[in-house]
C-alpha cells in the first residue's frame, strides 16, 4: 500500500470523514492543513508573519503557500520517520502547492509512494453541505447534514456540543467555493492525471460506499 494518500475535493466533499477512516483502518497519520491552521490560531505566541497569514483563513481565502509547507512537511516527515503512512486532507489547494509537494516527495525518496484520490462533488452540493454541517466542539467529529444526523443535539461519540464552524457562514462559504471549488481544483487534477497518479470516486454516494471504493484503490 502506498504511504502517501492525497485526498482532493471541494470543501464538504468528505475528505475529512474519509481521511479518518483510513487513519483508523491503516494507522496512518492524518494531516489536515485546516486543522493544523486552526490549532496554530489558538497559539497566542505565534510569530507576527504567521498571525498576518492566518487572517486570510477568516475570510475564506487560502493562506500563503509557505505556511502550508512549514506545517505540512514537518508533519509528513514526523510520521514517515515513525514508519507510518500519511493521509493528506485538503493539504493541496493550488497547482503550485501540488508541484512543491511533488518536489518534496522526490527529494525524500517518496515519489513512488503517492496515490491521489479525488472525491468529486458539484459546487452546488458543496454549498448545500457546508451551510448545514456541524462539528463537535470537543472532539472535532464532523456531523454531516443527513437524515440520520440532522436532529442530533450532541456528539454521538463524546456528547460534546455541536456547533457550526466559524468559516461555515454563507458569505464565507461562497468565497471558499470561488477559491476552492471545481474551477480551482481542475489544474491540480490535470497535474496528477498527467503523472498517472489520479483515481476518482463519486462523493455524492453514501459515506460507506465512498469508503469502500477508496479501500479498493488502497489495496
Ligand atoms: P478546511 O478545514 O480544510 O476546510 O480548511 C480551512 C481553511 O484553512 C481554508 O478555507 C483555507 O483558508 C485554509 N487552508 C487549509 N488548507 C490550505 C492549503 N493547503 N492552502 C491554503 N490554505 C489552506
Amino acid at each position: 500500500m502506498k504511504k502517501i494518500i492525497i485526498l482532493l475535493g471541494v470543501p464538504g466533499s468528505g475528505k475529512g470523514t474519509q481521511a479518518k477512516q483510513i487513519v483508523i483502518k491503516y494507522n496512518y497519520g492524518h494531516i489536515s492543513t485546516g486543522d493544523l491552521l486552526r490549532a496554530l490560531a489558538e497559539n497566542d505566541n505565534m510569530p507576527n508573519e504567521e498571525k498576518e497569514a492566518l487572517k486570510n483563513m477568516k475570510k475564506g481565502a487560502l493562506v500563503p503557500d509557505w505556511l502550508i509547507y512549514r506545517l505540512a512537511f514537518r508533519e509528513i516527515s514526523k510520521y514517515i520517520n515513525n514508519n507510518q503512512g500519511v493521509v493528506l486532507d485538503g493539504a493541496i489547494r493550488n497547482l503550485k502547492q501540488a508541484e512543491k509537494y511533488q518536489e518534496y516527495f522526490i527529494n525524500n525518496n517518496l515519489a513512488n509512494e503517492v496515490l491521489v484520490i479525488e472525491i468529486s462533488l458539484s459546487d452546488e452540493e458543496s454549498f448545500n453541505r457546508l451551510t448545514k454541517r456541524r462539528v463537535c466542539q470537543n472532539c472535532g467529529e464532523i456531523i454531516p447534514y443527513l437524515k440520520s444526523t440532522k436532529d442530533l443535539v450532541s456528539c454521538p461519540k463524546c456528547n460534546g456540543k455541536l456547533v457550526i464552524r466559524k468559516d461555515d457562514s454563507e458569505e464565507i462559504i461562497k468565497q471558499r467555493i470561488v477559491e476552492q471549488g471545481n474551477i480551482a481544483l481542475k489544474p491540480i487534477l490535470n497535474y496528477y492525471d498527467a503523472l498517472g497518479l489520479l483515481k476518482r470516486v463519486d462523493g455524492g454516494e453514501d459515506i460507506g460506499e465512498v469508503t469502500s471504493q477508496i479501500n479498493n484503490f488502497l489495496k
Side-chain angles (χ1 to χ4, degrees):
M1 181 170 156
K2 303 285 185 192
K3 283 189 181 152
I4 313 278
I5 312 299
I6 299 175
L7 297 184
L8 297 176
V10 297
S13 56
K15 299 186 297 293
T17 305
Q18 295 301 334
K20 282 183 184 155
Q21 302 293 331
I22 298 173
V23 167
I24 294 167
K25 193 167 162 89
Y26 302 102
N27 190 29
Y28 271 34
H30 184 181
I31 301 182
S32 153
T33 40
D35 286 349
L36 291 171
L37 290 164
R38 279 184 286 278
L40 187 68
E42 297 285 300
N43 174 7
D44 291 333
N45 300 324
M46 76 182 115
N48 269 341
E49 56 168 6
E50 292 187 359
K51 241 181 232 167
E52 263 318 295
L54 281 171
K55 283 186 184 159
N56 281 12
M57 195 176 166
K58 295 204 184 87
K59 295 185 280 191
L62 293 182
V63 307
D65 295 343
W66 58 261
L67 182 56
I68 296 301
Y69 307 146
R70 187 180 286 179
L71 295 172
F73 294 163
R74 190 178 52 202
E75 284 292 293
I76 295 172
S77 67
K78 188 179 89 186
Y79 287 109
I80 294 293
N81 291 340
N82 197 32
N83 235 351
Q84 281 176 279
V86 290
V87 193
L88 300 186
D89 159 14
I92 298 172
R93 303 203 193 194
N94 60 40
L95 181 58
K96 226 164 143 214
Q97 290 182 7
E99 290 167 346
K100 189 74 176 177
Y101 274 79
Q102 200 57 24
E103 191 184 309
Y104 171 87
F105 296 139
I106 290 168
N107 291 339
N108 288 278
N109 264 337
L110 292 165
N112 289 330
E113 292 293 342
V114 180
L115 175 69
V116 185
I117 302 172
E118 180 204 4
I119 306 178
S120 69
L121 198 72
S122 69
D123 288 349
E124 192 189 358
E125 187 58 17
S126 162
F127 181 81
N128 288 340
R129 286 189 180 183
L130 290 190
T131 44
K132 296 191 171 108
R133 78 173 173 187
R134 291 172 299 166
V135 63
C136 173
Q137 216 173 26
N138 186 39
C139 72
E141 179 76 4
I142 300 161
I143 311 293
Y145 185 82
L146 303 170
K147 233 191 216 164
S148 54
T149 56
K150 70 183 175 55
D151 295 326
L152 285 175
V153 288
S154 56
C155 175
K157 287 225 166 122
C158 75
N159 223 18
K161 190 176 170 199
L162 300 182
V163 293
I164 299 269
R165 236 170 61 176
K166 275 198 198 104
D167 57 353
D168 277 353
S169 83
E170 283 202 12
E171 263 327 292
I172 293 175
I173 286 167
K174 274 187 197 146
Q175 186 54 37
R176 286 174 73 201
I177 293 175
V178 169
E179 286 223 21
Q180 305 173 44
N182 280 293
I183 290 176
L185 200 56
K186 192 73 188 150
I188 309 175
L189 297 174
N190 289 344
Y191 174 76
Y192 286 119
D193 203 17
L195 292 178
L197 301 177
L198 183 66
K199 305 278 184 199
R200 182 177 167 276
V201 47
D202 180 356
E205 300 281 349
D206 285 351
I207 293 175
E209 177 57 28
V210 177
T211 305
S212 111
Q213 286 190 38
I214 289 179
N215 281 328
N216 286 339
F217 294 142
L218 297 180
K219 275 180 201 152

